[in-house]
Amino acid sequence: MGEFFSIFTGSFDVFMEGLWLTLRLSVVSLLIAIVIGLFFAMLKISRIKVLEIIADLYIWIVRGTPLIVQIFILFYGLAEIWLIPEFWAASIGLAFHSGAYIAEIIRGAIQSITKGQTEAARSLGMNRSLTMRRIVLPQAFRRAVPSLGNQFIIGIKDSSLASFIGLQELFGVSNTMGSNSFNYLPYFFTVAIYYLLIVLILTIAVNQLEKKLAVSD
């Protein structure tokens, strides 16, 4: 136990650097994933068969392959054409993965908006595109916020896979420090505490936001 506390306090600065990289990686990938998710959600509700098939194929590929394989394909595959930095390879890989789940979140949120609202907008002279932008999407995103928050929490944990392409985020830091001393377990326990604290804080924030949105509704 004493060794654990000495690692926790003595390596604080190094783990803070890893934490900062983890948060940056998670935020950037989530923002990209929202764009990807919105795009494929629009394809799924487009009522155009070919576009629906494309969206279904993308979601099927993401769900059917491990995230680490997707990151490796992006990092090592794109390196044959263009040398992509580790941070962006991991960010795009995480975004590509999360985008499929966010697409379903957004699709469900859009379809939860009652048809009466769209019919009212159309009766006011709004076309389908304007109705979607001004009436449906703002409400849909509001309803999707709690689920997007949970997806961000999942992304925090998934970001640990970025260490396999050389990024020194939280797990990468613990793995490197463990390899230096050939004593991995205390460092893995330490990084587990960091992840638990991050997830706890984010879970409380998401729950509070969900309650606030429920009250305002």
Side-chain angles (χ1 to χ4, degrees), residues 89-152:
S91 296
I92 295 170
L94 290 168
F96 178 81
H97 183 81
S98 297
Y101 298 95
I102 290 177
E104 293 288 30
I105 291 171
I106 295 176
R107 179 191 59 78
I110 289 173
Q111 292 180 338
S112 72
I113 306 301
T114 58
K115 291 184 178 180
Q117 296 192 48
T118 58
E119 290 171 357
R122 299 297 289 274
S123 69
L124 293 173
M126 294 185 183
N127 58 31
R128 190 166 185 262
S129 174
L130 189 60
T131 300
M132 182 64 69
R133 291 200 312 270
R134 292 191 176 180
I135 305 298
V136 177
L137 283 181
Q139 296 182 74
F141 268 111
R142 188 175 182 178
R143 295 186 181 187
V145 163
S147 297
L148 292 175
N150 289 327
Q151 191 63 41
F152 180 62

Side-chain angles (χ1 to χ4, degrees), residues 29-44 54-67 70 91-109 147-148 151 154 158:
S29 64
L30 178 67
L31 293 176
I32 299 173
I34 289 174
V35 175
I36 295 173
L38 179 60
F39 174 74
F40 282 100
M42 293 296 102
L43 294 188
K44 286 213 68 169
I54 292 172
D56 288 336
L57 180 62
Y58 160 66
I59 293 170
W60 175 70
I61 290 172
V62 169
R63 287 179 171 176
T65 56
L67 173 55
Q70 296 165 20
S91 296
I92 295 170
L94 290 168
F96 178 81
H97 183 81
S98 297
Y101 298 95
I102 290 177
E104 293 288 30
I105 291 171
I106 295 176
R107 179 191 59 78
S147 297
L148 292 175
Q151 191 63 41
I154 294 171
D158 286 345

